[in-house]
Amino acid sequence: MTQELAASLAASHVRLKRVYEPVASDDGVRVLVDRLWPRGLRKADAAIDSWMKDIAPSTELRGWFGHDPERWPAFHRRYSQELLQQAVAIDELRELARDGTVTLVFAAHDEAHNDAVVLRDALLQPRNTKGSARAGVRGTAHVRQNVSAHHP
């Protein structure tokens, strides 16, 4: 991992937006971060540049959370843990955000308690906030090996 990937991103480079809101010229790269396609929205009307459904919370976690604000602290913690297994996708989003604005697009009605909020928090944290830098590199290499094994 390079120092560049470990550096913090400017918060202004990572935005959040409901998929049902009008597209704006300053949205930059629009990335849908939900596992399921938003209800009632045609793909042609979504103006999505990328759909990263694998970075979304697991089906089990999403079902358990059910967008219940009382479960938000536990959901935030659990989804943050799941994101540790998505190092390659996180790095891809960070790289996009270094080049310009990335808008994480989501369908949830609650704009304060949803997966995009947790993902944005993860993107804005320095890469190795827990443990040693060496442990972080080891974890990333492990994920990359698993991805390479499944995607030749």
Side-chain angles (χ1 to χ4, degrees):
M1 177 175 60
T2 65
Q3 287 293 342
E4 187 177 315
L5 284 177
S8 296
L9 289 175
S12 63
H13 282 219
V14 183
R15 298 181 182 172
L16 303 178
K17 190 173 203 178
R18 288 195 72 227
V19 72
Y20 303 106
E21 291 178 29
V23 177
S25 61
D26 63 349
D27 282 350
V29 178
R30 292 171 49 90
V31 180
L32 179 63
V33 295
D34 290 342
R35 189 167 299 278
L36 303 174
W37 188 261
R39 290 182 183 165
L41 186 65
R42 295 182 333 172
K43 290 185 181 184
D45 297 333
I48 299 298
D49 296 303
S50 178
W51 182 12
M52 297 182 77
K53 57 184 163 183
D54 292 337
I55 206 168
S58 65
T59 301
E60 297 78 17
L61 181 57
R62 188 174 46 83
W64 171 83
F65 176 47
H67 297 284
D68 179 351
E70 290 185 18
R71 292 186 174 180
W72 173 248
F75 172 78
H76 194 291
R77 185 179 63 254
R78 291 177 184 183
Y79 181 37
S80 295
Q81 287 297 310
E82 286 186 2
L83 286 172
L84 294 175
Q85 301 304 311
Q86 296 292 335
V88 172
I90 295 285
D91 285 348
E92 182 180 330
L93 284 172
R94 281 191 178 122
E95 194 61 34
L96 283 172
R98 276 189 225 315
D99 293 338
T101 302
V102 171
T103 299
L104 304 178
V105 181
F106 60 94
H109 293 285
D110 186 339
E111 295 184 31
H113 305 100
N114 66 69
D115 57 311
V117 172
V118 180
L119 180 54
R120 181 178 188 266
D121 289 349
L123 289 170
L124 294 177
Q125 287 182 359
R127 181 61 199 238
N128 296 315
T129 57
K130 293 183 182 176
S132 70
R134 188 170 172 210
V137 169
R138 213 174 33 245
T140 301
H142 173 73
V143 171
R144 286 195 179 125
Q145 286 174 348
N146 286 343
V147 169
S148 296
H150 292 54
H151 297 70

